[in-house]
Amino acid sequence: MTNYSSPIANSLQKHHKKYRPDIDGLRAVAVLCVVIFHGFPSLLPGGFVGVDIFFVMSGFLISTILFESLIANKFSFFGFYLRRAKRIFPSLIVILVVCYIVGWNVLFPSELRGLSKHIFGGAIFLSNFVSFLENGYFDISADFKPLLHLWSLGIEEQFYIIWPLVLWLAWKKKSIIKIVIIAAIVISFALNIITVNTNSNAAFYLPHMRFWELLIGSLLAYLTIFEKEQTARFTAKYAHQLSVAGAALLIAALLLISKDDAFPGWWALLPTLATAALIMAGPRAWVNQHILSRSLMIWFGLISFPLYLWHWPLLSFARILFGDHVTPQIIGTMMVLSVALAWLTYRFVETPIRFGKSEHKSYYSLTAILAVIGVVGLFSFKQEGKSGLPREFLKSNQVSISAYDGGDLGNTTAGCGPNKKELDATFSVCTKDKRAEPKYVLLGDSKALALFPGLVRTSGANGRWALVGGNGIQGPVAPILSDEKMFAVYQKSARAAIDKVLANPGFEKIVIVAATRGIFSLNNVYSIEDLESNKNYDVALAGVKNFTKQLLRAGKPVIFVIDNPTFKDPDQCMPRKLRPEMLDQLVNGAHRQECRIKITDQLRLSKKYRDLLEQVRLLDPALISVLDTTDTLCDTATGYCSMTKNGRLVYGYTDHVSDFGAGLVGKTLNAYVKRH
């Protein structure tokens, strides 16, 4: 028995004669790389390859178990899956239950619905397919999916289902096993290479394009068991070189690979071959013995599975709750907490069940519990957003979760006027009220699109509406005609919109709604703080004037609606009513300040924009007017504009009004057009 320097290794060696402490050390490397990447990605840009390390190790260990049981004529599908269940199910059940409880209490309905879908996928080990049908792993929204990381567990479990059956069938003709493994590696890797540049999500999430990584481990297991003497001679001669080369390749992978690379692809060879080299080097190789076999590394390796399960939900919930206010201190705290919870889970959940008795009973119990969790997740996914699920935090929330008042009530139809229908395809939305030919036309970008349903809903029989606008294939409909390069994206839609309006003599009045950021080419959608220092006033004014002059050819009134105040997305602003009060203040305090603005500050920030509209109005004061909806959207009693009014959400997404907000503005605007 090898005398390792680690006390933990010596203890484990007494109970498991073939125990390799360096494998646990490699697990530690894998999980710590992933945790660091998820917490502080700039520190370790390639840290996500820790999952690839896990894949190779998993393939090696599982295939070793399968080969040894087949050789001893003790192979049993039930026995194999029993061991897998006792290894994986306990910690997974804890994570799924905790995530559901936390989600039930702090997430909004749409967020809980997404979490419920991932709980269902996690419980039946299909998370990779769930994630494949959503956005990519590196997409910004991925940070707000607490169970996204279960995709890798899904791939491993799918491998565990298929690979034992393949080996059992191939065992009848043992000579083909090596050929089967190599052929499977080549086919899977080739599919990955072919697909990674055309469908990166498929290459990342689908099992047949990742199995080659686990199969590399399977090939290692085959060599160490069926070609033991040749492999032993090779590793005895080159053990230290293999371990150093493996460590070097792994360091290269961690530093050279980034989320912007086509991954897995060819890049995945770095971490997978590095892992294979370290495993093949054996426990006596220098890196394996003096680095990977240290007590601290083994300890992290032992808790690696629960640590992997815990770390991402904690980080994700922190980012959901704190949004842009999440700090390095908060992230660091979550990482430390994940280590503590991982140890507790390993010590008091995983170990007693994994090494306990009553194997059949535990298998059936764990499977039943996981099945129930899956059913609950599916039920919540199906019900949330329909009949709804009553939750205490929603009952006590001062803000209505729903900001929907019926939209256009089914009163619109495609097309926005009787003439020049070929122009309709130019716009993202070209629609009208089907109850009567429209007298008024709403013209503009996505701001107009958000407002239109409320405008239709609050209109009267003598004043129906059409919409020409949105963000179509030719660009947004912004009220600008200009040769300036920054406005080039608007020109096709702007000219088509003018032609469409002028071709419809039934339009008695023209109303323009457009985002301030589009007119001035501002930096972001979350604020207009850079408007005061913006240098585009003169060219913007000239462009809006040119656009307006073209509309004035029809001799009809033109009404500009002043853009609404701009905040962050409602998901980043709505209070979650957390308990205790200290947590509520910690999470929501900063949001409450950021997601509202004094009316006087809003007027100051938007002065340049308002001045521009005033200059445009002076082109023809008899036909051009400007409607200010500040009093409609804001609370004049408190002097603030915020995300809410009368206990309802005024905004729907980013800086666009909600359906409720559209109704408020619609009522004001319908009254205004009748008077002007």
Side-chain angles (χ1 to χ4, degrees), residues 481-500:
L481 287 180
S482 174
D483 294 329
E484 293 290 333
K485 186 177 180 180
M486 72 179 74
F487 299 131
V489 67
Y490 303 138
Q491 299 314 296
K492 288 184 179 180
S493 289
R495 295 182 188 281
I498 290 171
D499 290 343
K500 184 65 180 177

Side-chain angles (χ1 to χ4, degrees), residues 447 516-517 522 526-529 531-532 562-567 594-611 628-631 633-635 639-642 651 655:
K447 292 294 189 80
T516 308
R517 64 176 181 275
L522 300 181
Y526 298 121
S527 75
I528 59 171
E529 290 183 356
L531 178 58
E532 291 181 293
I562 290 179
D563 193 14
N564 54 264
T566 298
F567 302 103
E594 186 178 65
C595 298
R596 68 174 189 167
I597 186 173
K598 288 183 178 180
I599 294 176
T600 52
D601 290 339
Q602 172 64 22
L603 296 177
R604 173 180 55 79
L605 289 174
S606 61
K607 183 178 184 304
K608 187 175 290 188
Y609 161 71
R610 292 166 180 270
D611 288 346
D628 189 348
T629 60
T630 300
D631 290 352
L633 294 171
C634 302
D635 189 340
Y640 278 93
C641 304
S642 70
Y651 294 87
D655 61 341

Side-chain angles (χ1 to χ4, degrees), residues 62 65 76-94 123 125 153 156-157 160-161 305 309 349-371:
I62 291 303
I65 293 171
S76 161
F77 283 104
F78 178 82
F80 174 79
Y81 292 120
L82 169 64
R83 287 191 294 271
R84 290 300 89 209
K86 293 181 73 174
R87 171 75 172 93
I88 292 169
F89 287 12
S91 296
L92 178 61
I93 288 170
V94 169
F125 301 104
L153 188 60
E156 286 195 18
E157 291 304 306
Y160 297 160
I161 291 172
F305 182 58
L309 292 180
V349 178
E350 181 180 309
T351 300
I353 296 176
R354 184 180 178 187
F355 300 108
K357 298 181 180 180
S358 303
E359 292 189 343
H360 287 69
K361 184 183 293 185
S362 64
Y363 175 78
Y364 295 129
S365 299
L366 290 170
T367 303
I369 293 171
L370 202 57

